[in-house]
Coordinates of all heavy atoms in Angstrom, one line a residue:
N10 N 0.8 -1.2 0.0 CA 0.0 0.0 0.0 C 0.9 1.3 0.0 O 0.5 2.3 -0.7 CB -0.9 0.0 1.2 CG -2.0 -1.1 1.1 OD1 -2.3 -1.5 0.0 ND2 -2.6 -1.4 2.2
R11 N 2.0 1.2 0.8 CA 2.8 2.4 0.8 C 3.6 2.6 -0.5 O 4.0 3.7 -0.8 CB 3.8 2.3 2.0 CG 3.2 2.5 3.4 CD 4.2 2.9 4.4 NE 5.2 1.8 4.6 CZ 5.0 0.9 5.6 NH1 4.0 1.0 6.4 NH2 5.9 -0.1 5.8
Q12 N 3.7 1.5 -1.3 CA 4.4 1.6 -2.6 C 3.4 2.0 -3.7 O 3.8 2.1 -4.9 CB 5.1 0.2 -2.9 CG 6.1 -0.2 -2.0 CD 7.4 0.7 -2.0 OE1 7.8 1.2 -3.1 NE2 7.9 1.0 -0.8
G13 N 2.2 2.3 -3.3 CA 1.2 2.8 -4.3 C 0.5 1.7 -5.1 O -0.2 1.9 -6.1
F14 N 0.5 0.4 -4.5 CA -0.2 -0.7 -5.2 C -1.6 -0.6 -4.8 O -2.0 -0.2 -3.7 CB 0.4 -2.0 -4.8 CG 1.7 -2.4 -5.5 CD1 2.9 -1.8 -5.1 CD2 1.7 -3.3 -6.5 CE1 4.1 -2.2 -5.7 CE2 2.9 -3.6 -7.2 CZ 4.1 -3.0 -6.8
V15 N -2.5 -1.1 -5.7 CA -3.9 -1.2 -5.4 C -4.4 -2.6 -5.3 O -4.0 -3.4 -6.2 CB -4.7 -0.5 -6.6 CG1 -6.2 -0.6 -6.3 CG2 -4.2 1.0 -6.7
E16 N -5.1 -3.0 -4.3 CA -5.6 -4.3 -4.1 C -6.9 -4.5 -4.9 O -7.9 -3.8 -4.7 CB -5.7 -4.7 -2.6 CG -6.1 -6.1 -2.4 CD -6.1 -6.5 -0.9 OE1 -5.9 -5.6 0.0 OE2 -6.2 -7.7 -0.6
V17 N -6.8 -5.4 -5.8 CA -8.0 -5.7 -6.6 C -8.3 -7.2 -6.7 O -7.4 -8.0 -6.9 CB -7.8 -5.2 -8.1 CG1 -9.0 -5.4 -9.0 CG2 -7.3 -3.8 -8.2
E18 N -9.6 -7.5 -6.4 CA -10.0 -8.9 -6.5 C -10.3 -9.4 -8.0 O -10.9 -8.6 -8.7 CB -11.2 -9.2 -5.7 CG -10.9 -8.9 -4.2 CD -12.2 -9.2 -3.4 OE1 -12.8 -10.2 -3.4 OE2 -12.6 -8.2 -2.7
T19 N -9.8 -10.6 -8.3 CA -10.1 -11.1 -9.7 C -11.1 -12.4 -9.5 O -11.2 -12.9 -8.5 CB -8.8 -11.5 -10.3 OG1 -8.1 -12.4 -9.5 CG2 -8.0 -10.2 -10.6
P20 N -11.7 -12.8 -10.6 CA -12.7 -13.8 -10.6 C -12.1 -15.2 -10.1 O -10.9 -15.4 -10.4 CB -13.2 -13.9 -12.0 CG -12.9 -12.6 -12.6 CD -11.6 -12.1 -12.0
V21 N -13.0 -16.0 -9.5 CA -12.6 -17.3 -9.1 C -13.1 -18.3 -10.2 O -12.5 -19.4 -10.4 CB -13.2 -17.7 -7.8 CG1 -12.9 -19.1 -7.4 CG2 -12.6 -16.7 -6.7
L22 N -14.2 -18.0 -10.8 CA -14.7 -18.9 -11.9 C -14.2 -18.3 -13.2 O -14.7 -17.3 -13.7 CB -16.3 -18.9 -11.9 CG -16.9 -19.5 -10.6 CD1 -18.4 -19.4 -10.7 CD2 -16.5 -21.0 -10.5
I23 N -13.3 -19.0 -13.9 CA -12.6 -18.5 -15.1 C -12.6 -19.6 -16.2 O -13.2 -20.6 -16.1 CB -11.2 -18.0 -14.8 CG1 -10.3 -19.2 -14.4 CG2 -11.2 -17.0 -13.7 CD1 -8.8 -18.8 -14.4
K24 N -11.9 -19.3 -17.2 CA -11.8 -20.2 -18.4 C -10.6 -21.2 -18.2 O -9.5 -20.7 -17.8 CB -11.6 -19.3 -19.7 CG -11.5 -20.1 -21.0 CD -11.3 -19.1 -22.1 CE -11.2 -19.7 -23.5 NZ -12.7 -20.1 -23.9
S25 N -10.7 -22.4 -18.6 CA -9.7 -23.4 -18.5 C -8.7 -23.1 -19.7 O -9.0 -22.8 -20.8 CB -10.2 -24.8 -18.7 OG -9.2 -25.7 -18.6
T26 N -7.4 -23.2 -19.4 CA -6.3 -23.1 -20.4 C -5.5 -24.3 -20.4 O -5.4 -25.0 -19.4 CB -5.5 -21.8 -20.1 OG1 -4.9 -21.9 -18.8 CG2 -6.3 -20.6 -20.2
P27 N -4.9 -24.7 -21.5 CA -4.1 -26.0 -21.6 C -2.8 -26.0 -21.0 O -2.3 -27.0 -20.7 CB -4.0 -26.2 -23.1 CG -4.0 -24.8 -23.7 CD -4.9 -24.0 -22.9
E28 N -2.2 -24.8 -20.8 CA -0.8 -24.8 -20.3 C -0.8 -25.0 -18.8 O -1.8 -24.6 -18.1 CB -0.1 -23.5 -20.7 CG 0.0 -23.2 -22.2 CD 1.0 -24.2 -22.8 OE1 2.1 -24.4 -22.3 OE2 0.6 -24.8 -23.8
G29 N 0.4 -25.4 -18.2 CA 0.5 -25.5 -16.8 C -0.1 -26.8 -16.2 O -0.3 -27.8 -16.9
A30 N -0.5 -26.8 -14.9 CA -0.9 -28.0 -14.2 C -2.4 -28.2 -14.7 O -3.0 -27.4 -15.3 CB -0.8 -27.8 -12.7
R31 N -2.9 -29.3 -14.1 CA -4.4 -29.6 -14.4 C -5.2 -28.6 -13.6 O -5.0 -28.3 -12.5 CB -4.7 -31.1 -13.9 CG -4.2 -32.1 -14.8 CD -4.6 -33.5 -14.4 NE -4.1 -33.8 -13.0 CZ -2.9 -34.4 -12.8 NH1 -2.1 -34.7 -13.9 NH2 -2.5 -34.7 -11.6
D32 N -6.4 -28.3 -14.3 CA -7.3 -27.4 -13.7 C -8.3 -28.2 -12.8 O -8.6 -29.3 -13.1 CB -8.1 -26.6 -14.7 CG -7.3 -25.5 -15.5 OD1 -6.4 -24.9 -14.8 OD2 -7.5 -25.4 -16.7
F33 N -8.8 -27.5 -11.8 CA -10.1 -27.9 -11.1 C -11.2 -27.3 -12.0 O -11.1 -26.1 -12.3 CB -10.1 -27.4 -9.7 CG -9.4 -28.2 -8.7 CD1 -8.1 -27.8 -8.3 CD2 -9.8 -29.5 -8.3 CE1 -7.4 -28.5 -7.3 CE2 -9.1 -30.3 -7.4 CZ -7.8 -29.7 -7.0
V34 N -12.2 -28.1 -12.3 CA -13.2 -27.6 -13.2 C -14.6 -27.6 -12.5 O -14.8 -28.4 -11.6 CB -13.3 -28.4 -14.5 CG1 -12.1 -28.2 -15.4 CG2 -13.6 -29.8 -14.3
V35 N -15.4 -26.6 -12.8 CA -16.7 -26.5 -12.2 C -17.8 -26.5 -13.3 O -17.7 -25.6 -14.2 CB -16.8 -25.2 -11.4 CG1 -18.2 -25.0 -10.7 CG2 -15.7 -25.1 -10.4
P36 N -18.7 -27.4 -13.3 CA -19.7 -27.4 -14.3 C -20.7 -26.3 -14.2 O -21.0 -25.8 -13.1 CB -20.5 -28.8 -14.1 CG -20.2 -29.1 -12.7 CD -18.9 -28.5 -12.3
S37 N -21.2 -25.8 -15.3 CA -22.1 -24.7 -15.3 C -23.6 -25.2 -15.5 O -23.9 -25.8 -16.5 CB -21.8 -23.6 -16.4 OG -22.9 -22.7 -16.5
R38 N -24.5 -24.9 -14.5 CA -25.8 -25.3 -14.7 C -26.6 -24.6 -15.8 O -27.3 -25.1 -16.5 CB -26.6 -25.2 -13.3 CG -28.0 -25.6 -13.4 CD -28.7 -25.3 -12.1 NE -28.7 -23.8 -11.7 CZ -29.5 -22.9 -12.3 NH1 -30.4 -23.3 -13.1 NH2 -29.4 -21.6 -11.9
M39 N -26.3 -23.2 -15.8 CA -27.0 -22.4 -16.8 C -26.5 -22.6 -18.2 O -27.1 -22.2 -19.2 CB -26.9 -21.0 -16.4 CG -27.6 -20.7 -15.1 SD -27.6 -18.9 -14.6 CE -25.8 -18.7 -14.1
N40 N -25.2 -23.1 -18.4 CA -24.6 -23.3 -19.7 C -24.2 -24.8 -19.7 O -22.9 -25.1 -19.7 CB -23.4 -22.4 -19.9 CG -23.8 -20.9 -19.8 OD1 -24.3 -20.3 -20.7 ND2 -23.6 -20.3 -18.6
Q41 N -25.1 -25.7 -19.8 CA -24.8 -27.1 -19.7 C -23.8 -27.6 -20.8 O -23.9 -27.2 -22.0 CB -26.1 -28.0 -19.7 CG -26.9 -27.7 -18.5 CD -27.9 -28.8 -18.2 OE1 -28.0 -29.8 -18.9 NE2 -28.7 -28.7 -17.1
G42 N -22.9 -28.5 -20.3 CA -21.9 -29.0 -21.3 C -20.7 -28.1 -21.3 O -19.7 -28.4 -21.9
E43 N -20.8 -26.9 -20.5 CA -19.6 -26.0 -20.5 C -19.2 -25.9 -19.0 O -19.9 -26.2 -18.1 CB -20.0 -24.6 -21.0 CG -20.3 -24.7 -22.5 CD -20.6 -23.2 -23.0 OE1 -21.4 -22.5 -22.4 OE2 -20.0 -22.9 -24.0
F44 N -17.9 -25.6 -18.8 CA -17.2 -25.7 -17.5 C -16.4 -24.4 -17.2 O -15.8 -23.9 -18.1 CB -16.3 -26.9 -17.4 CG -17.1 -28.2 -17.5 CD1 -17.4 -28.7 -18.8 CD2 -17.4 -28.9 -16.4 CE1 -18.0 -29.9 -18.9 CE2 -18.0 -30.1 -16.5 CZ -18.4 -30.6 -17.8
Y45 N -16.4 -24.0 -16.0 CA -15.5 -23.0 -15.5 C -14.3 -23.8 -15.0 O -14.3 -24.9 -14.8 CB -16.0 -22.2 -14.3 CG -17.3 -21.5 -14.5 CD1 -18.5 -22.0 -14.0 CD2 -17.3 -20.2 -15.2 CE1 -19.7 -21.3 -14.2 CE2 -18.5 -19.6 -15.3 CZ -19.7 -20.0 -14.9 OH -20.9 -19.3 -15.0
A46 N -13.2 -23.0 -14.9 CA -12.0 -23.6 -14.2 C -11.7 -22.7 -13.0 O -12.0 -21.4 -13.0 CB -10.8 -23.6 -15.1
L47 N -11.2 -23.2 -11.9 CA -10.7 -22.4 -10.8 C -9.3 -22.0 -11.2 O -8.5 -22.7 -11.7 CB -10.7 -23.3 -9.5 CG -12.0 -23.8 -9.1 CD1 -11.8 -24.6 -7.8 CD2 -13.1 -22.8 -9.0
P48 N -8.9 -20.7 -10.8 CA -7.6 -20.2 -11.4 C -6.4 -20.8 -10.7 O -6.4 -20.9 -9.5 CB -7.8 -18.7 -11.0 CG -8.7 -18.7 -9.8 CD -9.7 -19.7 -10.1
Q49 N -5.5 -21.2 -11.6 CA -4.2 -21.6 -11.1 C -3.3 -20.4 -10.6 O -2.5 -20.5 -9.8 CB -3.4 -22.4 -12.1 CG -4.1 -23.6 -12.5 CD -3.2 -24.5 -13.5 OE1 -2.1 -24.4 -13.5 NE2 -4.0 -25.2 -14.4
S50 N -3.7 -19.3 -11.2 CA -3.2 -17.9 -10.8 C -4.0 -17.0 -11.5 O -4.7 -17.3 -12.5 CB -1.7 -17.8 -11.1 OG -1.5 -17.4 -12.5
P51 N -4.0 -15.7 -11.0 CA -4.8 -14.7 -11.7 C -4.0 -14.0 -12.9 O -4.2 -12.9 -13.2 CB -5.0 -13.6 -10.7 CG -4.5 -14.1 -9.4 CD -3.5 -15.1 -9.8
Q52 N -3.2 -14.8 -13.6 CA -2.2 -14.3 -14.5 C -2.8 -13.4 -15.6 O -2.4 -12.3 -15.8 CB -1.5 -15.5 -15.2 CG -0.4 -15.1 -16.3 CD 0.7 -14.3 -15.6 OE1 1.3 -14.7 -14.6 NE2 1.0 -13.1 -16.2
T53 N -3.8 -13.9 -16.3 CA -4.3 -13.1 -17.4 C -5.1 -11.9 -16.9 O -5.0 -10.8 -17.5 CB -5.2 -13.9 -18.3 OG1 -6.2 -14.6 -17.5 CG2 -4.5 -15.0 -19.1
F54 N -5.7 -12.0 -15.7 CA -6.5 -10.9 -15.2 C -5.6 -9.7 -14.7 O -5.9 -8.5 -14.9 CB -7.4 -11.3 -14.0 CG -8.6 -12.2 -14.5 CD1 -8.5 -13.5 -14.4 CD2 -9.7 -11.6 -15.1 CE1 -9.6 -14.3 -14.9 CE2 -10.7 -12.3 -15.5 CZ -10.7 -13.7 -15.4
K55 N -4.4 -10.1 -14.2 CA -3.5 -9.0 -13.7 C -2.9 -8.3 -14.9 O -2.6 -7.1 -14.9 CB -2.4 -9.5 -12.7 CG -1.5 -10.6 -13.2 CD -0.5 -10.9 -12.1 CE 0.5 -11.9 -12.5 NZ 1.4 -12.3 -11.3

């Protein structure tokens, strides 16, 4: 905070990507047959 950084929350339900470790996936009731992934990191959002 003293260095001028801003704390920003990023989403927990995101898109699965093929690189890196295996994702934890969450099925979507409203979009059946499609899945969210839990973030391995907020890389793209930051």
Side-chain angles (χ1 to χ4, degrees):
N10 290 340
R11 286 202 293 266
Q12 297 294 319
F14 283 79
V15 179
E16 186 169 10
V17 182
E18 295 178 56
T19 53
V21 174
L22 296 174
I23 67 168
K24 184 183 182 71
S25 181
T26 58
E28 297 293 309
R31 287 185 296 272
D32 287 326
F33 283 103
V34 294
V35 180
S37 171
R38 179 185 60 81
M39 293 182 290
N40 302 277
Q41 291 201 1
E43 296 184 310
F44 295 82
Y45 301 104
L47 301 182
Q49 296 184 32
S50 81
Q52 181 60 50
T53 52
F54 288 100
K55 63 182 179 180

